[in-house]
């Protein structure tokens, strides 16, 4: 008898989500927030040619799906993870920014955003780029959305129309965005980023003392950097067409808890706080200052400010390198499982090869299960001859090279295996478990990559109380 997934069947139903258009405007005196037109808006001089979008209702279906390879996402675990983060991991009152970049690390950003907003106590969203932000808005998200990367200024009209918050990374970009916003007739809210040592985006730089500002108060070089950085930020914040309600930086070595990491994270905190204090002394304050990412929340929660940015932790993924020392091991339950099926079985004689490039030669008669999942689905080719899958509650080694659309597993020690059997690539099967963390070791990567690379052709099944409540099928949308 074939083992079946708890989400093997989904009850047919249909749900229509009507998107809200009354997202609070962030307009300043003399500016009118752009309205959502019924069609294309007449372009003003200097405005980008892209049309202002229309918030039209979209129908999402919960339906049967093509059961080849699919992901199961436990909403109860996600809701509990958010509670643990807010109530047990950061200081009381710290706001939570949910980082939903890369389709919420493969979990499905558009579907999850309204749930995080209504049921999880999230105050802000963050994404990597403009397209991801618009996807959230079209999915019904009404909270503020911060774009962590830089958006080409020709899209200033879209930033304003969708009421998005844009990161400002330096003065040149701030001036260009200001000019584009004024030309488009919009006001754009911003979070200004401070470069405290990562040397990616942000105002400031040239920090040389790893001890940080607090331990180098007499260092005139550090003080000069703080003053120069604060002055530039004040100038950027005063540009027309821009408003600002946030200031932030990013920890670059927070994933491991050791003396070096502690020293560097505290140095970044001290630099950021020094800039913040200098701004406050000039009369400039914002409601949202945020520094901590997932690693910071796990290892340095005492450095939290008004808000923390959390991505992988929301899903029960720690985001740290396998084997890394952590200060705190949060009691989070994994919310993601990847499932497939045995397509067929075959007997391979001793001396025969299995898969591409003859890099596995059977040294004894071997029963091989062909599984309908490959690297295009997101199962890393690095698992070739080193990974495992679960079949009938037992581990089966992956043999040969993982193919584009299939993989091969040795089921010689699981003789009852049959075509159609459930295969667990990540998750549990009875008492057996193969976590994303363990899978990351075989794939020589970190946990978030395991889920992020799961492709669009893999349907996402969302569960509450172990029952499917929604199917997100990117290719077919439940219609086949």
């Amino acid at each position: 008898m074939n083992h079946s997934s708890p989400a093997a069947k989904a009850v047919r139903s249909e749900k229509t989500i009507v998107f809200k258009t009354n997202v609070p405007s962030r307009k300043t005196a003399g500016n009118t927030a752009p309205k959502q037109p019924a069609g294309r808006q007449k372009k003003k001089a200097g405005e980008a040619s892209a049309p202002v979008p229309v918030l039209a209702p979209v129908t999402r279906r919960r339906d049967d799906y093509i059961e080849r390879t699919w992901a199961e996402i436990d909403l109860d675990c996600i809701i509990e993870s958010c509670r643990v983060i807010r109530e047990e991991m950061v200081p009381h009152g710290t706001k939570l920014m949910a980082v939903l970049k890369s389709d919420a690390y493969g979990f499905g950003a558009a579907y999850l955003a309204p749930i995080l907003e209504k049921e999880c106590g999230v105050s802000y969203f963050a994404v990597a780029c403009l397209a991801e932000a618009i996807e959230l808005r079209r999915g019904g998200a009404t909270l503020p959305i911060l774009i962590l990367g830089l958006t080409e200024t020709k899209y200033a009209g879209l930033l304003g129309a969708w009421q998005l918050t844009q990161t400002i990374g330096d003065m040149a970009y701030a001036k260009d965005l200001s000019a584009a916003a004024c030309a488009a007739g919009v006001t754009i809210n911003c979070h200004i980023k401070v470069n405290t040592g990562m040397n990616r985006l942000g105002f400031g730089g040239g920090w040389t003392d790893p001890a940080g500002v607090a331990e180098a108060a007499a260092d005139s070089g550090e003080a000069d950097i703080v003053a120069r950085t604060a002055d530039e930020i004040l100038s950027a914040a005063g540009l027309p067409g821009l408003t600002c309600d946030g200031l932030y930086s990013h920890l670059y070595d927070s994933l491991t808890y050791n003396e070096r990491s502690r020293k560097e994270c505290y140095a970044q905190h001290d630099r950021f706080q020094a800039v913040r204090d200098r701004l406050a002394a000039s009369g400039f304050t914002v409601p949202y200052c945020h520094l901590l990412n997932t690693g910071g929340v796990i290892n340095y929660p005492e450095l939290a400010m008004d808000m923390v940015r959390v991505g992988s932790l929301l899903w029960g993924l720690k985001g740290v390198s396998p084997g890394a020392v952590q200060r705190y091991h949060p009691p989070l339950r994994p919310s993601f499982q990847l499932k497939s099926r045995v397509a067929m079985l075959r007997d391979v004689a001793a001396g025969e090869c299995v898969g591409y490039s003859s890099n596995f030669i059977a040294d004894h008669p071997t029963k091989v299960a062909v599984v309908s999942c490959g690297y295009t689905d997101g199962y890393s080719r690095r698992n070739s001859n080193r990974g495992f899958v679960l079949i009938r509650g037992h581990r089966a080694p992956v043999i040969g090279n993982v193919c584009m659309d299939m993989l091969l597993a040795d089921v010689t020690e699981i003789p009852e295996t049959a075509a159609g059997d459930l295969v667990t690539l990540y998750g549990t099967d009875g008492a057996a478990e193969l976590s994303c963390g363990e899978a990351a070791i075989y794939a020589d990567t970190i946990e978030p990559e395991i889920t992020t690379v799961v492709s669009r052709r893999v349907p996402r099944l969302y569960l509450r109380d172990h029952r499917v409540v929604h199917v997100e099928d990117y290719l077919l949308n439940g219609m086949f």
Side-chain angles (χ1 to χ4, degrees), residues 245-380:
D245 72 347
L247 189 73
Y248 78 105
S249 191
H250 190 70
L251 299 178
Y252 59 82
D253 193 19
S254 62
L255 295 178
T256 298
Y257 185 69
N258 55 33
E259 186 56 34
R260 186 194 71 178
S261 169
R262 183 184 183 282
K263 190 174 185 180
E264 292 178 346
C265 289
Y266 267 78
Q268 286 190 265
H269 171 272
D270 292 345
R271 293 163 183 163
F272 185 70
Q273 187 62 52
V275 172
R276 184 184 184 186
D277 291 343
R278 178 87 179 202
L279 291 170
S282 299
F284 179 81
T285 59
V286 292
Y288 300 115
C289 285
H290 44 110
L291 173 69
L292 296 192
N293 49 16
T294 287
V297 170
I298 292 173
N299 292 318
Y300 306 102
E302 68 276 12
L303 300 183
M305 295 185 173
D306 305 303
M307 186 159 59
V308 295
R309 299 184 307 275
V310 178
S312 56
L313 268 184
L314 299 172
W315 328 122
L317 306 173
K318 298 181 181 65
V320 301
S321 300
V325 176
Q326 293 177 224
R327 182 178 178 185
Y328 180 52
H329 294 269
L332 306 179
R333 293 180 294 153
S335 59
F336 185 93
Q337 300 195 66
L338 187 64
K339 308 283 188 175
S340 189
R341 293 282 179 188
V342 174
M344 66 174 292
L345 295 166
R346 66 183 321 114
D347 294 311
V348 175
E352 286 192 285
C353 74
V354 174
Y356 283 113
S357 304
S358 301
N359 73 345
F360 181 89
I361 307 295
D363 59 7
H364 60 273
T366 304
K367 184 175 288 293
V368 176
V370 180
V371 179
S372 297
C373 180
Y375 62 76
T376 294
D377 300 293
Y379 191 74
S380 175

Side-chain angles (χ1 to χ4, degrees), residues 144-194:
I145 302 173
L146 171 64
I147 299 176
L148 298 169
L150 299 187
T151 302
E152 287 192 59
T153 57
K154 65 182 180 181
Y155 299 117
L158 290 176
L159 290 169
W162 290 102
Q163 298 180 21
L164 304 173
T165 301
Q166 175 59 51
T167 290
I168 301 293
D170 64 8
M171 180 57 72
Y173 181 77
K175 289 179 177 178
D176 289 347
L177 187 62
S178 169
C182 291
V186 298
T187 298
I188 299 172
N189 191 54
C190 303
H191 280 203
I192 295 175
K193 191 167 188 180
V194 182

